[in-house]
Structure formats: C-alpha cells, structure tokens
Amino acid sequence: MKTTETDVLIIGAGPAGAIAAALLHREKFRVLVVEKQVFPRFVIGESMLPVSMNLLANAGLLDAVQRRQFMRKNGAVFLRGNETCNFDFSSQFTAGYNYTYQVPRADFDQTLADAVAARGVDVRYRHGVTAVNFDGPHATAGIEQPDGTALSVKARFILDCSGYGRVLPRLLQLEEPSTLPPRDSLFAHITGDVRPADREEGKIWICMHPDGAWLWIIPFSNGKTSVGAVAAPEFFQKFPGDPETQLRAILLGDPNAARRLAKLQFAMPVQRISGYSCSVKRLFGDKYALAGNATEFLDPIFSSGVALALASSECAAKVLIRQLRGEAVNWQVDYADHVMQGINTFRAYVSAWYDGRLPQIFFAPQRNPDIMRQVCSVLAGYVWDKSNPYVSQADRALMALTKVLGGLQRAAARKAASAGL
Ligand SMILES: Cc1cc2nc3c(=O)[nH]c(=O)nc-3n(C[C@H](O)[C@H](O)[C@H](O)COP(=O)(O)OP(=O)(O)OC[C@H]3O[C@@H](n4cnc5c(N)ncnc54)[C@H](O)[C@@H]3O)c2cc1C
C-alpha cells in the first residue's frame, strides 16, 4: 500500500477545510487536504454572514473571494403577510463588516480551495477517507484514491472538516442526535426572480409561509436565485406531486415570495434534505478535532453554517499551531468552549424563531432601534461579542423582550377595546 506523511491531514476541502489549510500552511506546517468529490460541486449554504469576511481576511482569502464579484448582501429581510422587518448590516452594535456575499457554493468553495492550492497546499480530489487509527504516536488514515487503490497517511493530527460526510463522528461513534425536532428542506436554483432595486437587491428574504414553513430567497450575481422551503416533514405532505411541483406550489402559496417568483423557472433539479440537524459527543480527542459541519449543525434559518464552519476551523487551526510548536494547550477551553459559545448563541435564536418569540420581536409594531442593532449584530454573526447583551445573555434577553412586547400588545388591545366601547 502507498504511504505518505504529513503534519496535519485535513478531511474535506469545503470552507472549514480551506481556512484551516491556509492558516496552518502560513505557519510552515505540512498540510494534506483530501477531498472525496471533484470541485466544483454543488452544496447548499449560500448566504454568508458579515463575520465571515473577517475570518476570510484573517486567512488571507478575502481578496480571492472579492475578485469573484459575488452578489453583495447588505442585510436580511423577514416578511410575514404584509409585515416586514428589514435588517441592514450598516445598523449594528458590534464593529465589523457591514456587508457580505450571496455565493453559489460550487464557485465559492472552489475559489477558496484553488487559492489554498496556489499557495502550495497539497489538495487531492477524489480522495475519500474510509478509516482512521489513533493508537500509537501518530494518527493514520486510510484513503481511497481515484483509481480505487488505498493510500495510508501518517499525520501528527487529523482535522475533520468533512461537513455532511461527518467522517470522524461516524468512524469514532461520536454522533449524537440533535435536540431540535426533525425538519426537511426542498430547494433549487431558479431564474425569473423579480428583485428589489439597489442596496436591497442582494438581501436575503426570509418569508413566513401562511401554512407554517419559512422560505428563503437568495439572489446571486450570475442571474440565478436560490430558493428553498424549510418545515416539519408533515408540512410537505400537504403539497402533492414531484419535488418541482411541490416547491413551486409552496413558493407561490406565500404572498411575498409569489410577488417575486411568479415567473420562476427551475435551473436545476429540486433537491431535498431531511433531518439535517445533528450533534456530536465531543469536538476533539487525542490527535484529532472536528470543525465546521462535522461538529454540530443546528438549522439554516439564520445562515450561520458557513460562519460557524470558518470560525471553528480558524480556532482549531490556531490551537493546533500552538500544540505543534510544543506549547501546552487546553482544547476544551481554547477550542470547544469558543465554538460552543457561537453555536449556543445561535441555538437560542433558532429556538426563539420556532417558538414564535423572534417573529413577535421582528414584527412588533414599535421596535427599539438600539435593541434591533444588537439583534442585527447576532444576525451578522458577531456571536462572540459578549459586550452585546443579546449575545452574552441571548436567551434571557429574548425572553425578557418578548414579555415586555406581550405586555405592550395587551395594553394596546385593552386601550383599543375601551376606545371602542
Ligand atoms: C437546507 C440548508 C440550507 C443552508 N443554508 C445555509 C446558508 O444560507 N448559509 C450558511 O452559511 N449555511 C447554510 N447551511 C449550512 C451549510 O450547508 C454548512 O454549514 C456548510 O456547508 C459547512 O461547511 P463545511 O466546510 O463544514 O462542510 P462542507 O461544505 O459540507 O464541506 C465538506 C467537504 O468534505 C468532503 N468529504 C465528505 N466526506 C469525506 C471523506 N470521507 N473524505 C474526504 N472528503 C470528504 C465533502 O465532499 C465536502 O466537500 C444550510 C444547510 C442546510 C441543510
């Protein structure tokens, strides 16, 4: 069997893998990235958050992304019937980027992987990891090569950035069910989207469907638009037919989506993902760590996946660099706690979205601009800024705000009722 040696073996060349490769290579460590597929390849997860711009810049990868002229995303608009809540990233609590991009992931991921390879990182496509062993002084991985033969890689450390492949969680039995209820998603790229003008054009639209789903509309600079629906599995049973018929009926059944998408044409077969939320028992172990979607994936509602992938991978690379240099590191404190801070902040918002607190806040008749700036920074991905009370005490702050709004709404209803008497 062919064998090779490296300092760090990275499984997967998605955003998490590319960022870690760039950072480790910059510090002169030998990095081998193995990727099961051939790029460009389709993957869902196309709306970025402004915090990702900081992370790409830190890894020296932002210039390559900016050269692609992706659609500029200036914010997020939530719509429910005739109610709207329009977040603009220029109105934020946390100092940081006030825009980001909407990216077809085939192009975005290839841009990152090519930029990393151009710097000299060994990126091998059609190389799928099938086995790992952590006994002994080195980690070893068994890899299937394009011709079907096996390659054995000896590494000082393995970083699992395999996303939905979840290589180490599966091979090391680290998988844990998510605490979130199962949800499904139907999605596709389309043409025929009638977009708003100017700085509104690139904002993501999140539409609350009258029958109990939410929809995304993500416009790209290549003329196509990503559309999708997310709901409990039962929701989709109300829409008979093949996935294309189902998705069309769902999109046109929402008044706001229908305004933009009346003339939609599918530009790819409609895809379905079921029960996408997942978790793991731990984020690291002896000679390995997990980053990106190989850790925990919550829910797409706040487009947090790529931001969390980049942030966890950056953090893992920084801790690993110190470890490889012989410094004592504490993976729990320096890595897992940091990653969980981001995940848990988004978890509070995901829960508040589905239990109705966030829609109540977003569509309140009067919104406090200071609070909305703090919430906007969370939606921009600045979930490590503990000076923001809507980060440091996310759940408690959202709960308290909903109570106040509930009280105001009851008082307004009483006043209206007595005025009517
Ligand atoms: C319905 C839905 C909508 C979403 N929308 C958004 C959104 O708008 N914005 C957002 O930020 N996120 C979104 N996400 C989340 C997003 O898809 C992921 O968080 C993101 O792709 C994670 O990046 P990653 O680098 O961890 O993994 P990936 O991008 O999945 O990359 C992992 C790579 O590892 C490779 N791999 C797998 N197995 C192996 C193996 N055995 N050997 C070698 N290589 C392997 C894969 O081929 C893949 O290329 C969405 C998710 C869902 C389910």
Side-chain angles (χ1 to χ4, degrees), residues 15-16 35-37 41 44-45 47 105 129 164 167 293 305-306:
E35 165 57 54
K36 197 173 172 178
Q37 302 188 57
R41 55 92 179 89
I44 195 62
S47 192
R105 286 288 301 282
V129 172
Y164 301 102
V167 173
N293 252 41
V306 171

Side-chain angles (χ1 to χ4, degrees), residues 275-286:
Y276 46 72
S277 304
C278 53
S279 188
V280 281
K281 291 192 181 109
R282 55 180 184 273
L283 301 188
F284 64 92
D286 181 28

Side-chain angles (χ1 to χ4, degrees), residues 96-414:
Y97 276 86
N98 59 13
Y99 73 97
T100 183
Y101 296 112
Q102 311 283 25
V103 296
R105 286 288 301 282
D107 300 340
F108 176 73
D109 290 17
Q110 186 174 25
T111 301
L112 298 186
D114 284 354
V116 164
R119 287 177 199 175
V121 174
D122 188 354
V123 183
R124 300 190 195 179
Y125 295 97
R126 292 178 62 207
H127 279 65
V129 172
T130 54
V132 286
N133 188 334
F134 294 96
D135 300 336
H138 285 90
T140 53
I143 292 163
E144 190 178 321
Q145 302 184 103
D147 62 5
T149 61
L151 169 71
S152 173
V153 177
K154 196 159 120 178
R156 294 169 71 188
F157 199 91
I158 296 181
L159 188 58
D160 185 6
C161 299
S162 62
Y164 301 102
R166 304 182 65 74
V167 173
L168 292 190
R170 278 189 298 104
L171 293 175
L172 302 179
Q173 285 86 47
L174 303 176
E175 298 267 36
E176 271 214 323
S178 171
T179 51
L180 297 167
R183 294 194 175 89
D184 293 355
S185 180
L186 270 188
F187 51 86
H189 291 175
I190 57 125
T191 56
D193 170 24
V194 182
R195 301 172 176 178
D198 306 325
R199 78 174 278 114
E200 294 298 315
E201 181 183 358
K203 288 185 180 176
I204 184 172
W205 273 27
I206 306 285
C207 304
M208 290 187 77
H209 193 283
D211 293 334
W214 64 266
L215 316 175
W216 76 71
I217 303 179
I218 300 173
F220 297 137
S221 58
N222 64 9
K224 294 181 186 162
T225 293
S226 173
V227 293
V230 176
E234 311 81 74
F235 169 85
F236 294 94
Q237 289 161 12
K238 294 186 230 162
F239 296 86
D242 59 24
E244 205 169 282
T245 311
Q246 276 188 301
L247 184 54
R248 183 186 296 274
I250 293 167
L251 293 168
L252 300 184
D254 176 80
N256 294 301
R259 264 194 287 140
R260 284 178 69 151
L261 306 176
K263 296 206 170 119
L264 78 91
Q265 295 205 324
F266 287 103
M268 64 178 275
V270 173
Q271 317 269 309
R272 183 190 301 274
I273 290 192
S274 300
Y276 46 72
S277 304
C278 53
S279 188
V280 281
K281 291 192 181 109
R282 55 180 184 273
L283 301 188
F284 64 92
D286 181 28
K287 300 187 278 291
Y288 74 84
L290 318 175
N293 252 41
T295 60
E296 175 163 0
F297 179 68
L298 296 169
D299 191 272
I301 176 64
F302 298 117
S303 309
S304 57
V306 171
L308 289 171
L310 297 175
S312 57
S313 183
E314 179 196 74
C315 184
K318 284 182 176 168
V319 177
L320 182 53
I321 287 165
R322 287 171 42 219
Q323 175 170 310
L324 294 174
R325 284 184 182 143
E327 284 178 43
V329 295
N330 183 331
W331 278 91
Q332 181 59 44
V333 174
D334 300 343
Y335 179 61
D337 290 353
H338 178 79
V339 174
M340 291 318 293
Q341 155 72 28
I343 291 178
N344 286 334
T345 304
F346 275 115
R347 191 191 315 279
Y349 282 74
V350 169
S351 300
W353 171 259
Y354 286 105
D355 69 19
R357 281 176 292 152
L358 269 189
Q360 189 185 346
I361 292 168
F362 288 176
F363 301 118
Q366 281 170 341
R367 296 181 285 248
N368 177 318
D370 290 333
I371 293 177
M372 293 313 269
R373 267 195 288 280
Q374 291 167 344
V375 172
C376 188
S377 283
V378 173
L379 302 187
Y382 292 104
V383 288
W384 289 272
D385 176 7
K386 290 192 185 163
S387 69
N388 181 351
Y390 281 80
V391 168
S392 56
Q393 303 186 44
D395 202 40
R396 202 185 309 171
L398 292 173
M399 198 67 89
L401 181 55
T402 334
K403 265 197 187 149
V404 171
L405 289 173
L408 288 175
Q409 276 158 13
R410 280 191 297 278
R414 274 198 302 274

